[in-house]
Amino acid sequence: MTAPYADLANIASHTKHIIVTAQHMDGIDPGRGMGAVLPESIYQAGARAVFLNHAERPLQLAELVQSIEKAQDLGIKTIVCANSLEEARSIALLKPDILLCEPTELIGTGKTSDESYVQKTNSAIKEIDPNIFILQAAGISTPEDVYHTLQMGADGTGCTSGITEADSPAKMLEEMIEAVNRIYKEREEK
Amino acid sequence: MTAPYADLANIASHTKHIIVTAQHMDGIDPGRGMGAVLPESIYQAGARAVFLNHAERPLQLAELVQSIEKAQDLGIKTIVCANSLEEARSIALLKPDILLCEPTELIGTGKTSDESYVQKTNSAIKEIDPNIFILQAAGISTPEDVYHTLQMGADGTGCTSGITEADSPAKMLEEMIEAVNRIYKEREEK
Amino acid sequence: MTAPYADLANIASHTKHIIVTAQHMDGIDPGRGMGAVLPESIYQAGARAVFLNHAERPLQLAELVQSIEKAQDLGIKTIVCANSLEEARSIALLKPDILLCEPTELIGTGKTSDESYVQKTNSAIKEIDPNIFILQAAGISTPEDVYHTLQMGADGTGCTSGITEADSPAKMLEEMIEAVNRIYKEREEK
Amino acid sequence: MTAPYADLANIASHTKHIIVTAQHMDGIDPGRGMGAVLPESIYQAGARAVFLNHAERPLQLAELVQSIEKAQDLGIKTIVCANSLEEARSIALLKPDILLCEPTELIGTGKTSDESYVQKTNSAIKEIDPNIFILQAAGISTPEDVYHTLQMGADGTGCTSGITEADSPAKMLEEMIEAVNRIYKEREEK
């Protein structure tokens, strides 16, 4: 669960089971960096994961390399976003914990990535590094979207507007979690 | 006193007399903006002032206008940084609460702005808007620097490395505050 | 008339009456700056005017100050873009030759700025510096738009898609120029 | 040979043997993009190669992917800069024509990359794609630097200040070219 930087500590103090996640951090050490997001500060606040390179906060390649290194030093899991297949492959080489494939043009649209995009990015990433956990995320708005996306081979999915704009966000979230559980159970049975 | 975003709430809960200050915020409303610094989040965390346009986090003019407007809506005081005389004048028109004049090339050097820069920026700003509180900040490292800078007409000054790298930061801070008190007393006596 | 940097020299060598205009330049001197737009290079190519701070190439305030200074040193006229009234006022203090008022949300829409925006920005700019030439530009698509905008007090207007997407771009351009001539004649007669 | 955008056409018209090279381009198509560097414009001006991701003009990963694709479409060779080993590997996956390894902290210092950096980046890149031409570039200032760098396995090297600040730039350039010829001859003889 991601939250604004200033809310991280409050959320971390009220939850036990959620991995509190920052929306970005800069790959810097304490010192200069007025206005930057200091990795040590989000760690102290309780964040144990961080998004990097989201379409709304894209990073230069050198910045991305530094942020991933810094996160590994501190024990913060990295969720790195990729738009195209080419980006996904380049990012996979940088050993993120989680790679989130999300065609920029579909974010917030309610349209999911097509099967060909999902399969190509999945297999390209696994070929480079089978240990990376893959999320396929764009346009997820129903439990069926979740089920279908995981069925295509993703390890997980993501969802913001599909939950926050549902009639009952809590119910939607529960049903989506059930869809994930169903898939993982089916996989074990195979 | 400024602090990383994730530390604001903790500091605010442990102090009564300090105006907790964020190092930057984006002029956005809740909604889109993954990784941005949401004004509502720093306000809820207890921040009542914000730096904008620091040399390490410079803003586009349109962004600066939006951030100042948003701060005014929320009741957050703005401390806007200017490098050159031209910048100081342009920013004065935007009605910040505090205008911090700090030649970029002097930050962290221990060299203070020269008298001519201080006087020119002071009078240019006061001419445009006499209600703006003026800080003159670059290279302050001793209580004498503080006294001298205020004597030249500034309403206040700023200091980071001069305090954090002093033999006794607490003692240095106290002596700097005394220097400010001395000047304000002298002004009243006139 | 603006053109890509690499086309400036060719256009300048084929025209006598058009002021060849670059779409941006960086306020730097020869030396470091790989990939930047060197002011001396566009001047040598024949550019005698430059756009700055267009909504598609917004500048930090410090960059804008430097680019305007550099343009004045070289004898390049500056056309600086403003979105909001606040931006227009701040920019007017920086003494651009031309100030282009263009609400960002209307660019390319075919909708012109409303009368209130045009009048407020015109009078705010003239109050700060009556020598600045004012263009009002968003959404101009017909000769009538040109006539109406100048009638509201602008010194000129701008147009891109309205011309390039007209059935006959050359005819549209001629009719727009006639609309400008008509207004200037009417002004003289008063 | 790189040059400012506005000088490309002039240089291209005066030379036959040099591959005229732009210092950057944006991965865009004709249309929107005021102030951007339009790929079609530098191609028409005669550029047949382009630097991308130089330390003075770093690119977001998504931008880099788009610029490389666009260059391939137009027939412009790409010279993509990498700082760290991690960057070099990620970039190698994107199939640039030339990969320029240059630790950012050494640019313009006259200090060359150390042997370990050169060998590690060379072998990492060749492992991913043996067809990429590798330049090792930081701090080259003498013909001996050129010879030594190529001896360590680079396909070429780069040099700016070492030539422009030599007593006789033309003589320095000739001697550096001789050093390259010497190495290539020695390689053939093996």
Side-chain angles (χ1 to χ4, degrees):
Chain A
M1 181 193 172
T2 78
Y5 312 113
D7 294 340
L8 295 171
N10 190 26
I11 291 172
S13 73
H14 284 83
T15 180
K16 284 185 182 167
H17 304 299
I18 286 173
I19 298 174
V20 178
T21 303
Q23 296 183 349
H24 163 76
M25 71 179 211
D26 293 290
I28 57 170
D29 293 315
R32 285 285 176 103
M34 184 81 168
V37 179
L38 183 67
E40 278 80 358
S41 74
I42 63 163
Y43 184 87
Q44 290 299 331
R48 291 295 177 271
V50 65
F51 268 75
L52 294 171
N53 201 43
H54 189 273
E56 292 171 13
R57 188 74 163 89
L59 294 181
Q60 294 165 5
L61 181 55
E63 293 175 327
L64 182 56
V65 168
Q66 286 167 4
S67 293
I68 291 175
E69 276 178 15
K70 184 81 193 186
Q72 287 169 342
D73 288 350
L74 290 176
I76 296 175
K77 298 282 183 196
T78 54
I79 305 158
V80 183
C81 303
N83 174 11
S84 63
L85 176 61
E86 287 76 16
E87 269 188 84
R89 286 165 48 86
S90 270
I91 291 170
L93 264 186
L94 301 176
K95 299 195 172 299
D97 296 292
I98 299 173
L99 212 162
L100 172 56
C101 299
E102 186 171 42
T104 306
E105 68 274 19
L106 298 182
I107 295 177
T109 60
K111 285 190 206 160
T112 58
S113 303
D114 65 37
E115 218 157 308
S116 147
Y117 174 89
V118 171
Q119 287 166 352
K120 273 187 201 157
T121 48
N122 279 353
S123 68
I125 295 165
K126 292 292 183 195
E127 196 183 315
I128 290 171
D129 187 343
N131 296 318
I132 296 172
F133 196 88
I134 302 173
L135 300 187
Q136 294 280 356
I140 302 288
S141 57
T142 66
E144 288 69 39
D145 289 340
V146 172
Y147 183 85
H148 185 62
T149 301
L150 268 71
Q151 213 177 24
M152 285 190 288
D155 298 309
T157 184
C159 184
T160 304
S161 55
I163 296 171
T164 58
E165 293 174 17
D167 290 338
S168 164
K171 189 156 166 283
M172 177 60 82
L173 181 57
E174 271 178 38
E175 290 176 7
M176 285 179 164
I177 292 171
E178 276 167 31
V180 175
N181 286 339
R182 202 159 12 120
I183 277 277
Y184 272 83
K185 217 170 172 179
E186 287 172 18
R187 284 186 189 171
E188 279 170 24
E189 286 167 2
K190 278 182 194 167
Chain B
M1 181 194 171
T2 77
Y5 312 112
D7 295 339
L8 295 171
N10 190 26
I11 291 172
S13 72
H14 283 83
T15 182
K16 284 185 182 167
H17 304 299
I18 285 173
I19 300 175
V20 177
T21 303
Q23 296 184 347
H24 162 75
M25 72 178 211
D26 293 290
I28 57 169
D29 294 315
R32 284 287 176 103
M34 184 81 170
V37 179
L38 183 69
E40 277 80 358
S41 73
I42 63 162
Y43 184 87
Q44 290 297 332
R48 291 295 177 271
V50 66
F51 267 76
L52 294 172
N53 200 42
H54 189 273
E56 292 171 13
R57 189 71 164 88
L59 295 181
Q60 294 165 5
L61 181 53
E63 292 175 328
L64 181 56
V65 167
Q66 285 166 4
S67 292
I68 291 176
E69 277 178 15
K70 185 79 194 188
Q72 289 169 341
D73 288 351
L74 290 176
I76 295 175
K77 299 282 182 197
T78 53
I79 303 159
V80 183
C81 303
N83 175 10
S84 63
L85 176 62
E86 288 74 17
E87 268 187 85
R89 286 165 49 85
S90 270
I91 291 169
L93 265 186
L94 300 176
K95 300 194 172 302
D97 295 292
I98 298 173
L99 211 160
L100 173 56
C101 299
E102 187 171 42
T104 306
E105 67 273 19
L106 299 182
I107 295 177
T109 60
K111 285 190 207 160
T112 58
S113 303
D114 65 37
E115 219 156 308
S116 146
Y117 174 88
V118 170
Q119 285 166 352
K120 272 187 202 156
T121 48
N122 279 352
S123 68
I125 295 165
K126 291 293 184 195
E127 197 184 314
I128 289 170
D129 187 343
N131 296 317
I132 296 172
F133 195 89
I134 302 174
L135 300 187
Q136 294 280 356
I140 301 288
S141 58
T142 66
E144 289 69 40
D145 289 341
V146 171
Y147 184 84
H148 185 62
T149 301
L150 268 71
Q151 214 178 21
M152 285 191 288
D155 297 310
T157 183
C159 185
T160 303
S161 55
I163 296 171
T164 57
E165 293 175 19
D167 290 340
S168 164
K171 188 155 166 286
M172 178 59 84
L173 181 56
E174 271 176 38
E175 290 177 6
M176 285 179 164
I177 292 171
E178 275 166 31
V180 175
N181 286 339
R182 199 157 16 116
I183 276 277
Y184 271 83
K185 217 169 173 179
E186 287 171 18
R187 283 186 189 170
E188 279 170 22
E189 287 166 1
K190 279 184 193 164
Chain C
M1 182 193 169
T2 78
Y5 313 112
D7 295 339
L8 295 171
N10 190 25
I11 292 172
S13 72
H14 283 83
T15 181
K16 285 186 182 166
H17 305 299
I18 285 172
I19 299 175
V20 177
T21 303
Q23 296 183 348
H24 163 75
M25 73 178 209
D26 293 290
I28 57 169
D29 294 316
R32 284 285 176 103
M34 184 81 169
V37 179
L38 183 69
E40 278 80 358
S41 74
I42 63 163
Y43 184 86
Q44 290 299 332
R48 291 295 177 270
V50 65
F51 267 76
L52 294 171
N53 200 43
H54 189 274
E56 292 171 12
R57 188 72 162 89
L59 294 181
Q60 295 166 4
L61 181 53
E63 293 174 327
L64 181 55
V65 167
Q66 285 167 5
S67 292
I68 291 176
E69 276 178 15
K70 185 79 193 187
Q72 288 169 342
D73 288 351
L74 290 176
I76 295 175
K77 299 282 183 196
T78 53
I79 304 159
V80 183
C81 303
N83 174 9
S84 63
L85 176 61
E86 288 75 17
E87 268 188 85
R89 286 166 48 86
S90 271
I91 292 169
L93 266 185
L94 301 176
K95 300 194 172 300
D97 296 292
I98 298 174
L99 212 161
L100 172 56
C101 299
E102 186 170 43
T104 305
E105 68 273 19
L106 299 182
I107 295 177
T109 61
K111 285 190 208 162
T112 58
S113 303
D114 65 37
E115 220 157 308
S116 147
Y117 174 89
V118 170
Q119 286 166 352
K120 273 187 200 158
T121 48
N122 279 353
S123 68
I125 294 165
K126 291 293 183 194
E127 196 183 313
I128 290 171
D129 187 343
N131 295 319
I132 296 172
F133 196 88
I134 302 173
L135 300 187
Q136 293 281 356
I140 302 289
S141 58
T142 66
E144 288 70 39
D145 289 341
V146 172
Y147 184 84
H148 185 62
T149 300
L150 268 70
Q151 214 177 22
M152 286 191 287
D155 296 310
T157 184
C159 184
T160 304
S161 55
I163 296 170
T164 57
E165 293 174 18
D167 289 340
S168 164
K171 188 155 165 286
M172 177 61 82
L173 180 57
E174 272 177 36
E175 289 177 7
M176 286 180 165
I177 292 172
E178 276 165 30
V180 175
N181 285 340
R182 201 159 13 120
I183 277 276
Y184 272 83
K185 217 170 174 179
E186 287 171 18
R187 284 186 189 171
E188 280 170 21
E189 287 166 0
K190 280 186 193 165
Chain D
M1 181 191 172
T2 78
Y5 312 113
D7 295 339
L8 295 170
N10 190 26
I11 292 172
S13 72
H14 283 83
T15 181
K16 284 186 182 167
H17 304 298
I18 286 172
I19 299 175
V20 178
T21 303
Q23 296 184 348
H24 162 76
M25 72 179 211
D26 293 289
I28 57 170
D29 293 315
R32 284 286 176 104
M34 184 82 169
V37 179
L38 183 68
E40 277 80 357
S41 73
I42 63 162
Y43 184 87
Q44 290 299 331
R48 290 297 177 269
V50 66
F51 267 76
L52 295 172
N53 200 43
H54 189 273
E56 293 171 11
R57 188 72 162 89
L59 294 182
Q60 294 166 3
L61 181 54
E63 293 175 328
L64 182 55
V65 168
Q66 285 166 5
S67 292
I68 291 175
E69 276 178 16
K70 185 80 193 188
Q72 288 169 341
D73 288 351
L74 290 175
I76 295 176
K77 297 285 182 195
T78 54
I79 304 158
V80 183
C81 303
N83 174 10
S84 63
L85 177 61
E86 288 75 17
E87 269 188 84
R89 287 166 46 87
S90 271
I91 291 169
L93 266 186
L94 301 176
K95 300 195 173 300
D97 296 292
I98 298 173
L99 211 161
L100 173 55
C101 299
E102 187 171 40
T104 305
E105 68 274 19
L106 299 182
I107 294 177
T109 60
K111 285 189 207 160
T112 58
S113 303
D114 65 36
E115 218 156 309
S116 147
Y117 174 89
V118 170
Q119 286 166 352
K120 273 188 201 157
T121 48
N122 278 354
S123 69
I125 294 165
K126 292 293 184 194
E127 197 183 313
I128 290 171
D129 186 344
N131 295 318
I132 296 172
F133 196 89
I134 302 174
L135 300 187
Q136 294 280 355
I140 301 289
S141 58
T142 65
E144 289 69 39
D145 289 341
V146 172
Y147 184 84
H148 185 62
T149 301
L150 267 71
Q151 213 177 23
M152 287 191 286
D155 296 310
T157 184
C159 184
T160 304
S161 55
I163 296 171
T164 58
E165 295 174 17
D167 289 339
S168 163
K171 188 156 166 285
M172 175 61 82
L173 180 57
E174 270 177 38
E175 290 176 8
M176 285 179 164
I177 292 171
E178 276 166 31
V180 175
N181 286 339
R182 199 158 15 117
I183 276 277
Y184 272 83
K185 216 168 173 181
E186 287 172 18
R187 285 186 188 171
E188 279 171 22
E189 287 166 1
K190 279 182 194 166

